[in-house]
Structures are given as structure tokens and as C-alpha cells.
Amino acid sequence: MRKYVIMGVQGSGKGTQSKLLCSAYSMVHISVGDLFRWHVQNHTKLGAQVKRTMNAGELVGDDQVEAVVRQRLDQHDWNYGFVIDGFPRNARQAEFFMESYDIDAVIHLEIPDDEVRRRVLSRRLCPNCGMDYNLIADRPSEAGKCDICGHELVTRPDDTPEALDARLHDYHEQTRPVLELFARKEPVVKVDAQPDADSVQASIRKALGL
């Protein structure tokens, strides 16, 4: 069984790399962002709390994040292991995680802030079917239209330059110290996230000895 945490600033490719790794080794990809979106879309009590928090432009509280992670991992459907993406984001969450679960390694995707801005500000979303696009590497066939359903594409509400600068600041202030905490107990492998997705995946597997 393999259990990994993948970390990196938004736009570093955590979701893409997690899915590639999980597909190759029959692991489960656990995206905390996806879990929150599920709760919001299904109008759960937690979803209502998360929606209020996000609408106020604030980060979801540690208690809510930890509850969602614990609930998901308690399902024990990860017979061959998991890759958790989007968690932990600060020292308290990291301490909770290390006390509750053993992991094999932390994968840190490293990428300069300028490249993050270039990638994130090129993202587009279909509000109808949820398909994601990137105007750099994954353009729709017809400019501004979803290939799947033909709906007009939009920019995510939180993909503005101002919101991105705030997220980068939060990442450097809160998340990087998490790596130092993990490094005291777990192997932390650093991977350059700037090359193409397949090259980054090959570097991850090599660093993990897979």
C-alpha cells in the first residue's frame, strides 16, 4: 500500500500528477477541493458552511477541512493506497494528519510564481458540464466554447490576478512551513513542475523509487 501527500501552489499540476500516479498504481486520488465542491453541489450542511466561507473570500476553517479528510479516509476504499491533494495547508492541519495517518512520502511540486500566474490566468471552465480548459495547453476546438456541450466558457471567479496573488501569499506564508514539519518525520521529494506533464510524472516516479 502506498500513501502520499502531494503539495504545490495552485497551478503546479497537483491534480494532473495525482491522477496519473493513481491510475498507474491503482491508488485513490483524494482531492480536498473536489470533496468541498461535492458538499456544496449536494447542499449538505457542511456545503452550506463552506459556501458562506468561500463567498466571504475566506479560507475554509481547519475543523471543517479535518472533518472532511477524516470522513473520506474512513471510507477505507483505498486498498492500494491514496494520493491526497490540497491538504494539509498549514501547520495545524499537518500535525492533525501526522497524528492520525502514516504516509510514505510527500511530493512537492516546485514552480516559480510567474509560471503559476501564466498557467492559472489561462484557465477556463464550462459552467454547464464542468469541463476544464487551459488556453496554453488544452484549448477548446472553437474559441470560447466547450467541446463537450458547446456552452460559453468562463473564467473561474477566483482566478483573478488579485485573488491569485492572495493565494500565492497564503501558500508561501502557511504551506511552506508544512513541508518543514513533514521533513522531520517523512521523506519529502522535490520535483520541478515546469516541464510537460509526462516528464513531471516520470520525475515523481523516479524520486519515489517506483
Side-chain angles (χ1 to χ4, degrees):
M1 184 183 291
R2 302 177 173 98
K3 294 175 285 184
Y4 303 117
V5 168
I6 191 164
M7 296 180 64
V9 71
Q10 192 164 12
S12 59
K14 297 189 299 295
T16 298
Q17 296 304 326
S18 297
K19 288 170 186 171
L20 288 171
L21 197 60
C22 287
S23 175
Y25 297 98
S26 302
M27 294 185 289
V28 173
H29 174 212
I30 298 174
S31 164
V32 174
D34 286 349
L35 293 176
F36 281 131
R37 279 187 282 276
W38 183 90
H39 279 280
V40 171
Q41 289 166 1
N42 287 276
H43 308 290
T44 67
K45 182 178 179 181
L46 178 60
Q49 295 171 348
V50 169
K51 191 172 183 179
R52 282 197 300 272
T53 301
M54 293 172 73
N55 286 343
E58 299 170 359
L59 290 173
V60 178
D62 292 334
D63 289 340
Q64 293 168 321
V65 177
E66 290 167 13
V68 164
V69 170
R70 184 184 290 108
Q71 183 183 66
R72 179 64 186 84
L73 289 174
D74 281 351
Q75 292 178 25
H76 291 290
D77 58 345
W78 33 276
N79 297 333
Y80 295 98
F82 60 77
V83 177
I84 191 163
D85 155 19
F87 177 88
R89 290 188 174 179
N90 58 40
R92 174 184 151 169
Q93 292 175 12
E95 286 166 359
F96 152 78
F97 194 65
M98 286 191 286
E99 286 171 6
S100 306
Y101 306 97
D102 292 321
I103 58 170
D104 296 300
V106 177
I107 304 157
H108 183 221
L109 300 180
E110 298 191 315
I111 187 169
D113 287 357
D114 286 348
E115 177 63 11
V116 171
R117 289 189 182 91
R118 188 178 80 92
R119 291 184 182 188
V120 170
L121 298 179
S122 297
R123 297 195 302 199
R124 297 295 183 270
L125 172 72
C126 177
N128 186 51
C129 70
M131 190 72 179
D132 281 308
Y133 296 88
N134 189 295
L135 302 185
I136 300 169
D138 185 25
R139 291 175 175 272
S141 301
E142 182 182 347
K145 296 286 181 71
C146 178
D147 290 342
I148 307 299
C149 68
H151 199 283
E152 198 81 21
L153 300 178
V154 299
T155 301
R156 290 175 181 270
D158 59 346
D159 277 356
T160 64
E162 296 77 15
L164 178 57
D165 284 343
R167 291 201 298 274
L168 285 169
H169 178 267
D170 285 340
Y171 179 79
H172 294 308
E173 286 289 314
Q174 296 188 36
T175 312
R176 277 190 175 274
V178 169
L179 293 166
E180 296 171 11
L181 274 175
F182 271 129
R184 296 175 193 168
K185 185 180 177 185
E186 320 289 357
V188 176
V189 300
K190 298 179 180 180
V191 176
D192 180 5
Q194 293 183 84
D196 64 88
D198 288 342
S199 299
V200 175
Q201 180 67 194
S203 296
I204 289 172
R205 295 184 192 183
K206 182 179 179 181
L208 296 174
L210 298 176

